[in-house]
């Protein structure tokens, strides 16, 4: 079980202070080991299936099926995690994933038909352990109400991006230098060992939220409008990842330098990491909703010029800018979950966002692949542009739903003020009581706080005893 950590708000939030949070390293390090294989999965499938079938198209279909099945199963895994706990879900999932990936590798080596490979990809993707959302849920429980929460979101974004830089490099080296199936075998092994190690860290798990004996209904993350808006926005971010992967590879082929693909994608990923590190080091004074919209405007603007790049240097520079613009939108979106969704549905909420990225990436891989096959890499770069433009339009139109539910104030006059004794001199202006009813998303409940406000007699008489005054919270 965990409790909120009260941090010194006067101290500038930073990574050093974050990692000194009691118990943090106990789940951060195993969490990294458990999520590193996720960055190896797609590229390992692509390289193995392409080797056995001789077709990038077939390999792309199998990889896309894996991503889509993961996106569809992730929220269900989040629901079970919120209800039964991370360890109870993680143990069977890592066992199932290791078996499914091993089976997929065996089928590919046996030259199984495409339909069989696609069928085997379904359990391989559906059983991907949602370690990233689980780590974020632990940070949210540890840092409830702390100014370090955005720093934690930035730290997790950098960690994710690091896995997507190291994972593909490791998988490519194994598949090309050891054996075509070595990448998938290593992914299955690391998932099993890392997942078991992370599951053993029980002390920092968020508390479970099983249905109460009073019949109170559990909150489902998708019932909160703000999360639905974030899900749509994260589809655009996923489309950027998928579109960049395909289009950068196609561009490298077009210029006669296939090896440049790794360098170009590395520059793109490095931009995301640099921006993520900076996001966590800044003490922001503007609200997260405004940061999200501004970040998405920058991302859409950067994506709008990718199609015009005609040289490796120019495309590398533009890719760096796109990477720099991803982190502000991505990190801020994850940070807003703490405000928009109560604790008993938070892991589910994180898995919806992670699944949305995976789904957007899978669809973008298919669309960009077809466009590049038909018209070249320039048309493939239109996929990130179109997806981010649609997501930005949705954010602007539905931005009101991203505001946390505002608490309210009930202003009550004291008895002496409201009903002065007959025949007596007027009493001195009495203090009125201001009772704030504040909704606490983290606990899914409403509490009250009463304070005395002197000199407010006229306002109370004017507005009426018990008048509810809304308090706006951005």
């Amino acid at each position: 079980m965990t409790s909120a950590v009260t941090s010194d708000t006067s101290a500038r939030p930073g990574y050093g202070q974050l990692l000194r949070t009691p118990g943090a390293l106990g789940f951060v390090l195993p969490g990294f080991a458990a999520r590193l294989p996720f960055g190896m999965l797609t590229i390992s499938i692509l390289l193995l299936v392409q080797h056995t079938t001789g077709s990038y198209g077939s390999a792309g279909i199998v990889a896309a099926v894996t991503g889509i099945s993961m996106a569809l199963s992730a929220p269900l895994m989040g629901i079970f995690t919120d209800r039964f706990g991370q360890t109870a879900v993680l143990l069977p999932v890592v066992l199932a994933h290791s078996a499914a990936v091993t089976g997929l590798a065996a089928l590919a080596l046996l030259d199984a038909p495409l339909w069989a490979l696609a069928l085997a990809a379904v359990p391989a993707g559906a059983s991907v352990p949602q370690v990233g959302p689980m780590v974020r849920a632990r940070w949210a429980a540890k840092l409830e109400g702390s100014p370090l929460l955005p720093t934690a979101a930035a730290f997790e974004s950098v960690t994710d991006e690091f896995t997507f830089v190291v994972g593909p490099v490791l998988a490519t080296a194994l598949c090309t230098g050891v054996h075509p199936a070595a990448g998938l075998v290593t992914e299955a092994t690391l998932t099993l060992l890392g997942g078991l190690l992370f599951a053993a860290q029980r002390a920092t798990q968020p508390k479970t939220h099983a249905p109460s004996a009073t019949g109170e209904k559990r909150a489902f993350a998708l019932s909160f409008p703000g999360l639905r808006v974030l899900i749509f926005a994260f589809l655009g971010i996923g489309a950027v990842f998928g579109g960049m992967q395909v289009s950068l590879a196609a561009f490298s082929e077009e210029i006669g330098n296939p090896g440049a693909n790794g360098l170009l994608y590395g520059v793109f990923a490095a931009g995301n990491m640099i921006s993520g590190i900076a996001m966590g080091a800044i003490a922001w004074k503007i609200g997260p909703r405004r940061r999200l919209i501004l970040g998405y405007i920058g991302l859409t603007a950067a994506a709008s010029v990718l199609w015009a790049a005609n040289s490796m240097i120019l495309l590398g520079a533009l890719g760096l800018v796109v990477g720099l613009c991803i982190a502000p939108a991505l990190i801020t979106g994850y940070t807003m979950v703490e405000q928009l969704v109560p604790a008993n549905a938070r892991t589910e909420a994180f898995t919806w966002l992670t699944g949305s990225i995976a789904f957007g990436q899978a669809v973008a891989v298919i669309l960009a692949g077809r466009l590049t096959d038909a018209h070249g890499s320039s048309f493939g770069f239109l996929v990130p542009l179109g997806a981010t433009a649609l997501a930005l339009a949705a954010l602007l139109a539905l931005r009101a739903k991203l505001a946390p539910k505002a608490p309210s104030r009930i202003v009550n006059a004291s008895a002496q003020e409201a009903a002065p004794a007959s025949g007596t001199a007027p009493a001195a202006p009495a203090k009125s009581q201001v009772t704030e009813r504040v909704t606490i998303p983290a606990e899914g409940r409403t509490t009250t706080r009463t304070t005395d406000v002197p000199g407010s007699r006229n306002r109370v008489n004017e507005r009426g005893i018990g008048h509810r005054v809304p308090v706006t919270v951005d």
Side-chain angles (χ1 to χ4, degrees):
M1 299 295 179
T2 60
S3 59
V5 174
T6 302
S7 301
D8 182 5
T9 57
S10 63
R12 182 174 182 175
Y15 294 110
Q17 184 183 357
L18 177 71
L19 295 176
R20 287 193 296 270
T21 301
L25 291 179
F27 66 83
V28 167
L29 296 180
F32 174 76
R35 69 214 287 189
L36 176 62
F38 183 71
M40 304 173 60
L41 182 60
T42 300
I43 189 66
S44 295
I45 292 174
L46 284 170
L47 293 175
L48 175 59
V49 176
Q50 192 278 331
H51 173 80
T52 58
T53 65
S55 169
Y56 279 105
S58 297
I61 290 174
V62 178
V65 170
T66 304
I68 291 173
S69 61
M70 190 276 279
L72 295 177
S73 68
L76 185 61
M77 198 179 298
I79 292 173
F80 288 149
T81 301
D82 283 325
R83 180 168 180 178
F84 300 110
Q86 295 186 0
T87 298
V89 172
L90 202 54
L91 291 177
V93 164
V94 296
L95 292 172
H97 181 73
S98 299
V101 168
T102 302
L104 175 59
L107 285 174
L109 293 174
L110 292 172
D111 295 323
L114 179 59
W115 67 264
L117 295 177
L119 190 62
V122 173
S127 60
V128 171
Q130 298 300 309
V131 178
M134 291 181 183
V135 174
R136 285 183 166 91
R138 295 194 187 209
W139 279 123
K142 274 283 185 184
L143 302 174
E144 193 76 56
S146 168
L148 282 171
L149 195 58
T151 306
F155 180 82
E156 289 306 306
S157 179
V158 173
T159 302
D160 282 340
E161 200 57 44
F162 187 72
T163 64
F164 279 105
V165 172
V166 176
V169 172
L170 176 59
T172 301
L174 290 170
C175 291
T176 57
V178 179
H179 188 275
L184 274 184
V185 173
T186 303
E187 191 274 344
T189 304
L190 290 178
T191 296
L192 179 62
L193 297 178
L196 293 177
L197 183 60
F198 180 76
Q201 312 304 312
R202 297 173 180 266
T204 54
Q205 287 190 89
K207 64 179 181 179
T208 58
H209 297 276
S212 65
T214 60
E216 179 185 357
K217 292 185 178 180
R218 180 196 178 279
F220 287 95
L222 205 58
S223 64
F224 295 90
L227 181 67
R228 297 198 294 268
V229 177
L230 290 178
I231 289 172
F232 194 87
F234 274 45
L235 284 172
I237 294 175
V240 173
F241 286 120
M244 292 292 284
Q245 286 177 344
V246 173
S247 301
L248 289 175
F251 179 86
S252 300
E253 292 282 352
E254 290 171 359
I255 63 174
N257 186 8
N261 178 39
L263 176 61
L264 290 173
Y265 195 83
V267 171
F268 163 70
N272 196 358
M273 290 182 63
I274 293 170
S275 182
I277 293 171
M279 284 284 294
I282 296 174
W284 294 97
K285 295 184 179 180
I286 61 175
R289 180 172 54 170
R290 187 176 302 175
R291 292 205 309 270
L292 177 63
I293 293 174
L294 290 175
Y296 231 105
I297 290 174
L299 178 59
T300 305
S304 67
V305 294
L306 286 169
W307 64 272
N310 55 9
S311 70
M312 181 176 168
I313 294 177
L314 178 58
L315 184 57
L318 293 176
L320 177 65
V321 175
V322 172
L324 289 171
C325 293
I326 286 179
L330 186 69
I331 292 170
T332 304
Y334 275 121
T335 303
M336 294 179 74
V337 170
E338 192 267 341
Q339 298 178 334
L340 298 172
V341 180
N344 62 0
R346 197 166 289 154
T347 305
E348 179 198 348
F350 286 132
T351 55
W352 272 108
L353 297 184
T354 302
S356 179
I357 293 175
F359 190 85
Q361 182 175 1
V363 173
V365 165
I366 296 174
L367 292 177
R370 294 181 70 87
L371 286 172
T372 55
D373 284 343
H375 306 290
S377 62
S378 296
F379 282 78
F381 285 121
L382 295 178
V383 173
L385 169 58
T388 53
L390 287 174
L392 175 59
L395 279 177
L396 293 174
L398 302 174
R399 61 187 180 276
K401 297 185 181 298
L402 293 173
K405 185 177 180 181
S408 60
R409 287 183 177 179
I410 301 176
V411 182
N412 300 306
S414 65
Q416 182 182 10
E417 178 184 13
S422 177
T424 62
K431 295 179 179 179
S432 64
Q433 291 183 325
V434 177
T435 303
E436 295 178 312
R437 288 186 179 176
V438 182
T439 299
I440 303 178
E443 302 177 11
R445 66 183 180 88
T446 300
T447 187
T448 59
R449 179 175 60 221
T450 303
T451 56
D452 291 329
V453 181
S456 57
R457 177 188 185 99
N458 292 338
R459 186 181 182 205
V460 173
N461 292 338
E462 198 174 88
R463 301 297 298 272
I465 298 173
H467 182 77
R468 189 180 296 269
V469 182
V471 179
T472 302
V473 178
D474 194 330

